[in-house]
Amino acid sequence: MKQQPPELTTPVRNFSVQLSPTPRGARLARLLATEQLRSWGLPLDPARQVIAELSANAVAHARIPGRDFRLLLYVVADTLRIEVTDTRDDRLPTPRIPAPESESGRGLLIVDALADRWGVTPGLPPRKTVWAELTL
């Protein structure tokens, strides 16, 4: 009997939710994702922080009234992938060093520090997906 490679026998877990592009929507993304990670038995941190930052960025920098953003989590083998899709493909995220007294502008620096990999993938116009991967 031929044995299947481990990546084919490992279950794929996924979770997707569409939320309003508001501070409440970003907070709800973090809370729902935290409960999903908990139900999968996965560590909450640093995933919770990455989800919070990517969701907050979608609300702060890619908000168009009436157009929701989507959070997608999925696990394949030992990798958790976090995706946040918004409807502002004309605004690509760029990490910047904020002024020391600035109260915002550190989100992508935090994602870069916590994630193993992250990037941006264009979608069907006007969408883009900002993603991050964490090794479990």
Side-chain angles (χ1 to χ4, degrees):
M1 182 169 129
K2 187 174 179 180
Q3 187 176 9
Q4 288 185 321
E7 62 271 10
L8 297 178
T9 60
T10 304
V12 176
R13 294 171 276 185
N14 63 56
F15 168 79
S16 179
V17 64
Q18 192 165 322
L19 299 158
S20 64
T22 62
R24 183 173 187 252
R27 190 175 106 246
L28 193 55
R30 180 182 51 81
L31 294 172
L32 292 171
T34 297
E35 287 308 308
Q36 187 62 56
L37 293 170
R38 188 175 282 126
S39 77
W40 288 339
L42 298 178
L44 301 181
D45 293 309
R48 178 172 31 194
Q49 186 65 36
V50 171
I51 292 161
E53 297 299 340
L54 293 181
S55 298
N57 281 352
V59 168
H61 305 293
R63 180 173 192 244
I64 294 179
R67 292 187 184 171
D68 295 342
F69 74 95
R70 182 185 62 149
L71 170 67
L72 172 65
L73 307 177
Y74 61 91
V75 180
V76 178
D78 66 345
T79 301
L80 169 65
R81 184 165 170 117
I82 301 160
E83 295 185 358
V84 175
T85 301
D86 63 54
T87 56
R88 287 299 300 261
D89 63 350
D90 60 325
R91 290 191 174 178
L92 297 179
T94 307
R96 287 176 262 147
I97 308 275
E101 66 277 357
S102 177
E103 293 183 12
S104 64
R106 293 171 181 78
L108 288 177
L109 296 175
I110 292 169
V111 170
D112 190 56
L114 296 176
D116 296 301
R117 292 164 296 289
W118 75 274
V120 182
T121 303
L124 293 173
R127 293 173 191 84
K128 73 170 177 302
T129 298
V130 183
W131 57 268
E133 292 181 343
L134 303 169
T135 302
L136 302 170

